[in-house]
Amino acid sequence: RFLSEYGGGTAGRLKALDAFLLYVLLTGALQFGYCLGVGTFPFNSFLSGFISAVGSFILGVCLRIQINPQNKGEFQGISPERAFADFLFANTILHLVVINFVG
Amino acid sequence: QVAISNETRELLLAAVSEDSSVTQIFHAVGALSGFGLPLASQEALSALTARLSKEENVLATIQALETASYLSQQADLSSIVEEIEDLVARLDDLGGVYLQFEEGIETTALFVAAAYKLSDHVGTEPAIKEDQVIQLMNAIFSKKNFETLSEAFSVARAAGALSQNRFHLPVIVVPDGPAAVSHHQPVLRLQVTNVMSQLLTQVSVKLDQAKSVSSKATVLQQLPFTLSGDFFELNFMSVKPASGYYDFSISVDGDKRFIANKVELKVKVSTEVGIINVDLSTVDKDQSIAPKTTRVAYPAKAKGSFTADSHQNFALSFQLIDVNSGAELIPHQTFVRLHNQKTGQEVVFVAEPDSKNVYKFELDTSERKTEFDSASGTYTLYLIIGDATLENPILWNVADVVITFPEEDAPSTVQSKNLFVPKPEIQHLFREPEKRPPTVVSNTFTALVLSPLLLLLILWFKIGANISNFSFSPSTIVFHMGHAAMLGLMYVYWTQLNMFQTLKYLAILGGITFLAGNRMLAQKAVKR
């Protein structure tokens, strides 16, 4: 029932974003599982990759909340374009730090 | 005869003014006084005082003192004389032993010479206390070699000033040879001199008291020394002191000007030691057999040899006495040395006195086998007695001792402990690299991690995400190119650049991308 409601009620853009979020989640989980299995060497690389996944997931969720037309009332001054631009900017900074740390 | 022309005289007189430096005034006044030319002392004094308030350094003040000693006593020289006290206050006290100016020994010596010269001239005792004079002397006469002639000159002047002035005459008391007496040399001889090492014989030298350092008892009091030739003598052995060290307090009198005339001297009394009641015995461990004792007299060697093994201990006892007085002695060094005749090993023990001052030494083979390395054999036993106050240290071959250690501990060969052979080499253990999973595992994982990407593309295709709305306006193209370039920059950063370079490029690319993106999104918003 949830799936049918989701398929019908959600805009295409949001579904594309959701797919992206699922991808990031899986990638992060796989990284974590690998670390548990094989060991933490090199620790900085693991941290960098994991934080990249987690950070991207969080930024994606923020974007989704801001784009969703059902939430328009709460984000009066921020257009979807502006939200997207913010998403890109924050991602740039996040990945700058991640690349610095990956070693 | 030296004739002084009028011009020279005028030149010298003109130099004595406020406009010349203190050194120039000093030289001019000295020259005028030396030539016997008339000099207005009061004017010279006022020029000097005015000049001194401008030049406040130590050397100028010392030269002012010297200058004042040429001026007539009719002038009021008290202001210059007060400078002596100010200068004394400027001396540095080094460890309570030395007193000198920070400018050095030469300045200090010049000060002493100038201060006493002026004080003699004026007739006032210089404001320098007795212990300050002693500390000044310690500093000035501390060196025997001088680097410059001027330094040597200043020290010689100071020595001359201290040996001939009206107020303070330091006295030096020097013992003849080491300050030691014994039965062969019972007389303590002292020489009394002034700073220039000239003998002072018109003085009386008295021993205030002599105290033993160890027992703190006063052995002698209030005894005069007798003058014999150039030396003052005292027969200390006449009171039959015990051997050891004594603190002598000596005072020299004869002139009111004497200072540093109370001296402390450490005198050593030596004697000869004798060893008596030397008993060598083998003591049965079970105490079932009575110990066999042999008495030996120094310097003979005991006949026969003694044994020490698992059943018997070897024991030695003796007493040490002062040959001259018969009193018991406890010297600093009482050693028993055992020397292995075959291997050259030697082991040294200390013999300790008991409560009755009888020295005892016992050798138990089971207790002492580590010192001997369990090497059995015949050992020669020596007795070593020594002390700073003994004139006859003793090394006496007393006996031979056959020492047997239990068989199982004996080493096959006794190695001499040579400290200077190469030691075993140390292998450096390099840091082990971290454990890594096999390449197969990590490659598999890499493929696994990329699989969600595949899933994402499939999902997007299913949802129907497309780029059909892609408009080819310049800002769009620039935006996408700029964004791609930024991603490429991230890769290059990972492989090559550092943070600063990356930030530089990122600022440029980011700026372009931002502007283009802004335009693009604005167009998109308008379309909507």
Side-chain angles (χ1 to χ4, degrees):
Chain A
R1 194 184 75 107
F2 167 72
L3 277 177
S4 59
E5 253 201 51
Y6 175 77
T10 329
R13 271 211 277 198
L14 292 179
K15 281 201 216 164
L17 235 187
D18 286 342
F20 175 70
L21 290 177
L22 179 67
Y23 154 67
V24 169
L25 186 73
L26 284 178
T27 312
L30 274 174
Q31 283 185 343
F32 190 67
Y34 176 77
C35 177
L36 283 182
V38 184
T40 59
F41 180 79
F43 195 52
N44 58 314
S45 306
F46 158 68
L47 273 184
S48 146
F50 191 64
I51 285 175
S52 165
V54 169
S56 300
F57 186 81
I58 293 171
L59 290 174
V61 167
C62 288
L63 181 63
R64 192 186 191 285
I65 292 176
Q66 289 180 333
I67 287 184
N68 199 345
Q70 291 169 338
N71 289 342
K72 213 161 172 176
E74 304 197 18
F75 294 104
Q76 286 288 4
I78 306 178
S79 63
E81 284 75 27
R82 169 72 196 281
F84 182 65
D86 286 345
F87 172 75
L88 282 186
F89 180 64
N91 256 311
T92 307
I93 297 180
L94 171 69
H95 284 95
L96 186 68
V97 174
V98 160
I99 299 288
N100 185 30
F101 202 50
V102 79
Chain B
Q1 190 189 356
V2 179
I4 313 298
S5 69
N6 277 345
E7 282 113 40
T8 316
R9 191 162 59 89
E10 294 303 321
L11 194 69
L12 288 174
L13 281 172
V16 181
S17 84
E18 265 180 46
D19 304 318
S20 326
S21 70
V22 171
T23 313
Q24 287 169 325
I25 299 177
F26 166 44
H27 288 151
V29 167
L32 285 166
S33 166
F35 292 134
L37 296 169
L39 164 69
S41 290
Q42 192 56 49
E43 281 152 35
L45 180 64
S46 50
L48 192 64
T49 325
R51 197 66 214 171
L52 199 58
S53 57
K54 290 194 206 135
E55 292 177 45
E56 292 249 317
N57 60 74
V58 170
L59 205 55
T61 318
I62 294 176
Q63 286 177 334
L65 295 177
E66 295 262 5
T67 315
S69 63
Y70 291 117
L71 300 174
S72 149
Q73 291 195 30
Q74 311 272 331
D76 180 21
L77 302 170
S78 56
S79 65
I80 306 290
V81 173
E82 275 160 20
E83 295 290 346
I84 297 181
E85 209 173 326
D86 292 342
L87 281 176
V88 169
R90 286 168 81 155
L91 288 162
D92 291 327
D93 184 331
L94 301 174
V97 177
Y98 302 104
L99 204 58
Q100 63 183 66
F101 286 113
E102 64 179 0
E103 286 88 347
I105 292 179
E106 188 176 335
T107 315
T108 317
L110 286 175
F111 162 64
V112 167
Y116 281 101
K117 184 160 177 222
L118 180 59
S119 303
D120 276 0
H121 179 69
V122 178
T124 326
E125 186 176 348
I128 312 178
K129 298 204 249 318
E130 179 170 347
D131 35 295
Q132 286 175 324
V133 177
I134 297 176
Q135 287 181 317
L136 281 167
M137 280 168 50
N138 284 341
I140 297 172
F141 304 119
S142 56
K143 286 213 286 195
K144 293 226 166 45
N145 298 305
F146 301 98
E147 286 163 4
T148 60
L149 192 54
S150 58
E151 198 179 12
F153 163 68
S154 66
V155 170
R157 280 201 65 206
L162 285 170
S163 45
Q164 274 201 339
N165 65 72
R166 285 160 63 181
F167 301 101
H168 297 155
L169 282 187
V171 164
I172 321 268
V173 174
V174 181
D176 179 32
V181 292
S182 65
H183 260 86
H184 309 293
Q185 230 301 34
V187 177
L188 179 66
R189 284 148 63 99
L190 301 175
Q191 249 187 347
V192 178
T193 68
N194 64 9
V195 176
M196 295 284 272
S197 296
Q198 291 160 334
L199 287 177
L200 301 172
T201 43
Q202 309 293 349
V203 300
S204 70
V205 182
K206 197 175 60 171
L207 171 67
D208 288 332
Q209 64 172 357
K211 275 209 305 208
S212 156
V213 170
S214 47
S215 70
K216 309 261 183 277
T218 308
V219 175
L220 270 189
Q221 285 193 67
Q222 303 296 326
L223 203 58
F225 279 70
T226 45
L227 178 62
S228 156
D230 289 338
F231 293 95
F232 288 88
E233 297 185 342
L234 182 76
N235 187 333
F236 189 41
M237 292 307 280
S238 57
V239 293
K240 299 201 189 317
S243 65
Y245 287 92
Y246 293 84
D247 282 325
F248 273 42
S249 304
I250 298 170
S251 62
V252 178
D253 295 300
D255 193 314
K256 275 199 319 289
R257 298 172 293 168
F258 280 164
I259 59 171
N261 56 338
K262 296 222 182 315
V263 181
E264 302 279 320
L265 196 64
K266 215 177 197 71
V267 179
K268 177 169 92 171
V269 175
S270 327
T271 185
E272 286 153 330
V273 70
I275 316 184
I276 57 167
N277 300 341
V278 185
D279 288 325
L280 300 159
S281 38
T282 42
V283 180
D284 197 73
K285 275 199 203 175
D286 303 330
Q287 318 232 312
S288 53
I289 316 172
K292 284 185 303 234
T293 310
T294 314
R295 175 151 288 202
V296 193
Y298 174 72
K301 182 167 170 174
K303 296 193 208 343
S305 61
F306 297 81
T307 41
D309 54 28
S310 42
H311 307 296
Q312 310 169 67
N313 292 346
F314 169 77
L316 165 71
S317 79
F318 56 92
Q319 270 186 295
L320 298 173
I321 54 157
D322 184 336
V323 159
N324 298 306
S325 69
E328 286 158 349
L329 278 184
I330 310 283
H332 287 155
Q333 298 165 335
T334 51
F335 300 131
V336 175
R337 173 177 175 246
L338 290 152
H339 180 234
N340 187 324
Q341 289 163 350
K342 244 195 342 219
T343 66
Q345 259 180 305
E346 67 172 27
V347 187
V348 182
F349 298 99
V350 179
E352 311 245 340
D354 65 10
S355 49
K356 296 205 208 38
N357 286 341
V358 176
Y359 281 88
K360 285 196 164 52
F361 166 70
E362 192 155 330
L363 180 63
D364 185 339
T365 51
S366 48
E367 275 175 21
R368 301 280 186 202
K369 57 177 191 245
T370 37
E371 280 97 335
F372 285 90
D373 265 347
S374 297
S376 310
T378 312
Y379 286 78
T380 324
L381 186 131
Y382 293 87
L383 198 55
I384 302 176
I385 311 286
D387 191 280
T389 57
L390 290 184
E391 298 199 314
N392 61 333
I394 291 176
L395 174 68
W396 177 25
N397 184 349
V398 183
D400 289 329
V401 184
V402 178
I403 307 183
T404 314
F405 292 96
E407 272 304 315
E408 62 269 10
D409 297 331
S412 47
T413 46
V414 176
Q415 292 152 331
S416 59
K417 285 200 177 62
N418 194 352
L419 294 169
F420 303 106
V421 295
K423 296 235 175 18
E425 203 172 308
I426 306 172
Q427 292 294 103
H428 179 75
L429 202 65
F430 284 100
R431 191 174 148 216
E432 304 274 336
E434 299 251 359
K435 280 247 166 80
R436 291 179 130 179
T439 328
V440 179
V441 174
S442 44
N443 285 347
T444 314
F445 171 70
T446 313
L448 202 60
V449 147
L450 291 174
S451 59
L453 186 63
L454 202 61
L455 177 68
L456 177 66
L457 290 173
I458 294 172
L459 279 177
W460 273 353
F461 181 70
K462 274 191 69 184
I463 292 169
N466 52 33
I467 52 171
S468 54
N469 259 347
F470 194 82
S471 54
F472 282 90
S473 59
S475 42
T476 318
I477 296 175
V478 172
F479 167 75
H480 280 102
M481 300 283 283
H483 192 229
M486 273 162 59
L487 293 176
L489 178 66
M490 287 295 144
Y491 176 76
V492 177
Y493 176 30
W494 183 34
T495 49
Q496 285 176 352
L497 303 173
N498 64 37
M499 180 63 104
F500 301 105
Q501 294 167 313
T502 313
L503 281 179
K504 193 172 60 177
Y505 295 130
L506 195 65
I508 302 169
L509 285 176
I512 299 171
T513 313
F514 172 72
L515 289 172
N518 211 11
R519 291 282 295 286
M520 180 189 83
L521 287 174
Q523 288 167 357
K524 264 239 153 64
V526 163
K527 257 205 229 157
R528 192 164 55 82

